[in-house]
Amino acid sequence: MTQKFVWGGVSDPSSHGEEGFRYLIHAFNPFVKTSMAMFNLQTAMDKQKRGQECRIDPSHGDQTINLYEQPERVAQRVSLSMSLIDQDHTGTWGDGGIIVEVPEQNIIATSIQDMGSMNSDPDFLRQQFASSARYNGDELLQMSYPTSYNEVVALANVDGSQIALKGFFYKTDSKGEPLNETVARKMQMHASRLGLPLVTVKTPGLYAKNEIHDKDDKLAVHLDGNRYLLGGWDDSDFRLYDEKGHGYFISPEQM
């Protein structure tokens, strides 16, 4: 386990154990057309135009830094939105990303759901969450849903107390295959380039439990991680969906 000043009781990715881990992560979804960093910078500029107290001060950091391309610059950002995960809580915004450690004093807010709170003004963030509940790692995970992501917001640098990059992760299905091969390759590249640990986080499949769904004249069977649509689904009848949600046509004879 890490030192006591680090928030969340997180574990060390260099000693990753699939049966027991806890990481504070920032996940990537490279297919979102507009990056969250640019979105929040634009939001701050819009607030300025409306005369609201949200300042863009370069001395606070650079919120436009693209961590998908330059994760080593995480401490140069203004703030960072993250999720706390463990072996029983694997919900994340994207299918891979960075593993970080955050000093206790850098934490601004914690929530069991997305707060949409990244911002380029530390003072605005403090005001926004001044009256919000602040949970420790144990409390946050206890209240979080197993497959939905929580959110932890922190300032990247508080008087020299900085967020630290500790490693990388990507998510896999029950067979160990990456949920997103593009993100997985990117995290593998960064880990090799920076000499940091890379871990995989296995997620429960969408159809992990073998069961029959027969409701409103619609019949579906979940078997061995797949979903078979057998009747009442119109054009979707006789299709198979794998645990990633990808659909395939299967002939009636095969079904």
Side-chain angles (χ1 to χ4, degrees), residues 13-192:
S14 65
S15 302
H16 179 70
E18 194 172 277
E19 300 302 319
F21 62 86
R22 182 185 293 189
Y23 301 132
L24 193 55
I25 62 93
H26 174 78
F28 299 120
N29 188 338
F31 302 110
V32 174
K33 292 183 179 179
T34 303
S35 73
M36 288 297 292
M38 293 303 298
F39 172 80
N40 283 283
L41 183 61
Q42 183 62 51
T43 299
M45 295 173 65
D46 291 343
K47 289 178 179 178
Q48 281 187 323
K49 292 177 182 179
R50 296 195 298 266
Q52 297 182 16
E53 290 297 325
C54 184
R55 300 184 303 276
I56 302 174
D57 185 342
S59 68
H60 292 155
D62 184 358
Q63 195 67 1
T64 66
I65 291 172
N66 184 345
L67 296 179
Y68 186 66
E69 298 295 341
Q70 296 180 299
E72 64 271 25
R73 298 184 63 191
V74 62
Q76 299 174 35
R77 288 277 291 268
V78 177
S79 62
L80 191 67
S81 180
M82 302 157 286
S83 292
L84 187 66
I85 66 172
D86 67 7
Q87 67 282 351
D88 300 316
H89 301 82
T90 57
T92 57
W93 185 69
D95 294 326
I98 61 177
I99 300 172
V100 297
E101 284 185 355
V102 180
E104 181 78 34
Q105 59 265 39
N106 292 49
I107 299 294
I108 293 292
T110 59
S111 173
I112 63 171
Q113 58 189 2
D114 192 325
M115 296 179 285
S117 53
M118 289 173 58
N119 200 280
S120 295
D121 181 5
D123 293 332
F124 184 86
L125 275 174
R126 291 188 179 99
Q127 293 171 9
Q128 182 180 4
F129 298 109
S131 59
S132 299
R134 188 80 58 82
Y135 305 114
N136 61 37
D138 292 339
E139 293 168 336
L140 184 60
L141 286 174
Q142 186 175 13
M143 294 184 296
S144 297
Y145 296 102
T147 57
S148 298
Y149 63 90
N150 52 48
E151 185 172 9
V152 178
V153 179
L155 298 179
N157 190 337
V158 178
D159 298 326
S161 176
Q162 300 180 346
I163 291 178
L165 178 65
K166 303 300 290 186
F168 300 87
F169 81 98
Y170 65 88
K171 300 173 77 171
T172 71
D173 59 22
S174 62
K175 301 178 181 67
E177 297 295 327
L179 296 185
N180 186 312
E181 293 184 0
T182 299
V183 172
R185 285 195 298 269
K186 193 75 167 182
M187 297 307 103
Q188 291 167 348
M189 182 197 73
H190 284 315
S192 176

